[in-house]
Amino acid sequence: MKKWNLAPMGMLTAAVVLAGCATMGPGYEQDKEYQLTILHTNDHHGRFWRNGDGEYGMAARKTLIDSIRAEVMAEGGDVLLLSGGDINTGVPESDLQDAEPDFRGMTMLGYDAMAVGNHEFDNSRDVLMQQAEWADFPFLAANIFEKGSSKTLFEPYEMFDIQGNRVAVVGFTTEDTVKIGNPEYTSDLDFKTPVEVAEDLIPKLNKKADLVVAVTHMGHYANADHGGNAPGDVTLARSVPGIDVIVGGHSQNPLFEPDEQNGTLILQAHEWGKYVGRMDLTLKNGEIVDYDYRLIPVNLKDEVEDAEGNEVMVFQDVEIAEDPDMLAFLQPYQDKGAEALDTVIGSADGDFIGERSVVRSNPTNLGVLIATAQMEKAKADVAVMNSGGIRADLEGGDITYKDVLIVQPFANMLTYVDLTGAELMEYLEVAISKEAGSGAFAQFSGVEIISTNGEINSADVNGAPIDADKTYRLAVNAFMASGGDGYPKISDHPNFVNTGFVDADLLAEYITNNSPLSIEDYDPGYMIDRM
């Protein structure tokens, strides 16, 4: 393994949890400087194992974190390891095992606390509580209450002693969970507005603690422009003074520098454990007097051209060896997950056509099936799917997870946006203009289109013509949302939402819930072209 050349500030290992500290005075020495490093990740989404290019994975993450802890110990500081939530939902190997390898792996990594993410409610309450048992660290959520009660589902905060400095870590979860989650698993809960809860709670924590850290799953929206999403970390920081650091998640964007708002430092480390965020704090008299911050890539690679003109993958930073103990622990889960991919999840009475030469030139029943699954998951009115994201036929008979992954191998996230009818028509006009034979060729669900020479004569949604002033929800994958295949970029639209659901997973879920599938129900009769 190559030698690490990390930032000069290093810290110690696990902090001591405080109890009954409400009446305690400061335990630190006046005018003495203390060092605290906050390490953080967010939006793990089942990525306990490295990807096909050897990027990220919990085994390499452990080597990195252990290396930082060793450096930290030598310098007499302390470490808090935090997660911004959404451990669930991302890859079948994890999903089929209720994220057991992920939560147990986090225990081995020594996490101190995590925010509860919206995807923690993708499973039944029994599974969620089992996951909390697999974790030997607290799930924190100050704004999730048992319905009609003042009792929170999980602890609102945890107190830590950092060499006499009292640190409160408080959790907040997006109130959008009730909108984007499964009502079956959230109907007995109240998701209160985080700002409303924080306005009451943070002043109380300021009296108990020298430092207040919020670990959140709310999203970072620059200048608080959250659009159709619930307000995020910037709104929280601007609305509620007294929070020193926000360790965030949900929007899955990397902040390579802290966003300082109203005296609060806001952090986020992208997704999937691609980075470990590292903030080195200098504390004096109960205040932050200095800090250093970076996102450390975990074996991320860039594609470059070598001297011979070949495309090769090179590490962005030094290569991190995988920790052998973590690797040995995770390997049986990876093997079991791979086995489970052969599990039959449903069946069909005929073939769904996704063969390249057909699906890129013609509407097909597989295109309709995929778009319908995405439309239903997003609770959308219309879905559009680029044919380049469909890689094979789905043959009739029994269907396995592996079959679905062959059809959709790219692990694209499902996104949606709420558009006016006028905006939707503009989008559909671009979609039907995509050239036959290209991967951009559009497949649809939820809309009936009559066109002449590539121009729309009429378009009906829910049995009625599209109303220019009415609002419609459009579902597409994240590749298309970001402008892929020349589709209109909608990822910067104020109403844009990335659900975090992976295309293959939601297709598998749809097949399971609707089997046996009849190919008649997915006949692509949604478009008539009068050329």
Side-chain angles (χ1 to χ4, degrees), residues 267-338:
L267 320 177
Q268 193 173 155
H270 201 15
E271 62 186 5
W272 304 357
K274 292 177 179 177
Y275 297 92
V276 170
R278 175 177 180 170
M279 170 160 274
D280 298 310
L281 299 171
T282 301
L283 308 178
K284 183 177 179 181
N285 298 330
E287 295 183 353
I288 299 171
V289 296
D290 196 13
Y291 70 83
D292 186 55
Y293 185 69
R294 65 177 293 206
L295 293 183
I296 305 171
V298 182
N299 287 341
L300 296 187
K301 298 176 181 177
D302 293 323
E303 189 175 276
V304 300
E305 193 173 282
D306 65 13
E308 287 74 41
N310 301 311
E311 297 293 334
V312 296
M313 302 292 287
V314 298
F315 288 100
Q316 292 182 3
D317 206 328
V318 296
E319 181 178 1
I320 307 170
E322 293 185 299
D323 179 81
D325 293 335
M326 179 67 86
L327 203 57
F329 170 75
L330 294 175
Q331 185 72 60
Y333 288 104
Q334 178 69 7
D335 295 342
K336 183 179 178 181

Side-chain angles (χ1 to χ4, degrees), residues 268-527:
Q268 193 173 155
H270 201 15
E271 62 186 5
W272 304 357
K274 292 177 179 177
Y275 297 92
V276 170
R278 175 177 180 170
M279 170 160 274
D280 298 310
L281 299 171
T282 301
L283 308 178
K284 183 177 179 181
N285 298 330
E287 295 183 353
I288 299 171
V289 296
D290 196 13
Y291 70 83
D292 186 55
Y293 185 69
R294 65 177 293 206
L295 293 183
I296 305 171
V298 182
N299 287 341
L300 296 187
K301 298 176 181 177
D302 293 323
E303 189 175 276
V304 300
E305 193 173 282
D306 65 13
E308 287 74 41
N310 301 311
E311 297 293 334
V312 296
M313 302 292 287
V314 298
F315 288 100
Q316 292 182 3
D317 206 328
V318 296
E319 181 178 1
I320 307 170
E322 293 185 299
D323 179 81
D325 293 335
M326 179 67 86
L327 203 57
F329 170 75
L330 294 175
Q331 185 72 60
Y333 288 104
Q334 178 69 7
D335 295 342
K336 183 179 178 181
E339 243 179 74
L341 294 182
D342 290 324
T343 302
V344 173
I345 60 168
S347 63
D349 65 1
D351 294 343
F352 285 91
I353 306 304
E355 201 277 321
R356 179 188 179 105
S357 63
V358 180
V359 78
R360 295 192 178 202
S361 300
N362 301 279
T364 75
N365 54 4
L366 182 54
V368 175
L369 173 66
I370 291 170
T372 300
Q374 295 184 354
M375 187 174 70
E376 181 174 292
K377 191 68 174 178
K379 300 180 177 66
D381 301 292
V382 179
V384 181
M385 176 67 195
N386 63 315
S387 295
I390 303 172
R391 310 302 287 190
D393 292 342
L394 190 64
E395 296 181 358
D398 287 342
I399 300 170
T400 67
Y401 256 102
K402 186 178 290 184
D403 295 329
V404 173
L405 286 172
I406 292 171
V407 169
Q408 289 194 286
F410 299 117
N412 247 315
M413 297 289 186
L414 171 66
T415 74
Y416 68 78
V417 63
D418 292 334
L419 303 173
T420 64
E423 289 175 318
L424 178 60
M425 283 294 290
E426 290 177 4
Y427 192 96
L428 294 175
E429 285 169 357
V430 174
I432 69 161
S433 73
K434 295 303 177 183
E435 185 179 358
S438 72
F441 185 79
Q443 305 285 334
F444 299 88
S445 182
V447 60
E448 295 181 0
I449 297 173
I450 297 177
S451 68
T452 303
N453 297 324
E455 293 187 1
I456 295 177
N457 302 126
S458 67
D460 291 357
V461 174
N462 298 322
I466 292 174
D467 183 336
D469 298 320
K470 189 177 175 181
T471 298
Y472 299 86
R473 178 166 293 179
L474 169 69
V476 298
N477 62 48
F479 168 75
M480 297 169 64
S482 63
D485 274 342
Y487 279 87
K489 183 178 180 180
I490 59 171
S491 57
D492 54 2
H493 192 285
N495 296 328
F496 175 76
V497 173
N498 185 326
T499 70
F501 291 112
V502 176
D503 51 9
D505 285 354
L506 67 91
L507 177 58
E509 178 184 310
Y510 181 89
I511 291 169
T512 298
N513 292 340
N514 293 277
S515 284
L517 300 174
S518 172
I519 58 174
E520 285 185 1
D521 296 335
Y522 302 92
D523 180 68
Y526 51 75
M527 177 183 278

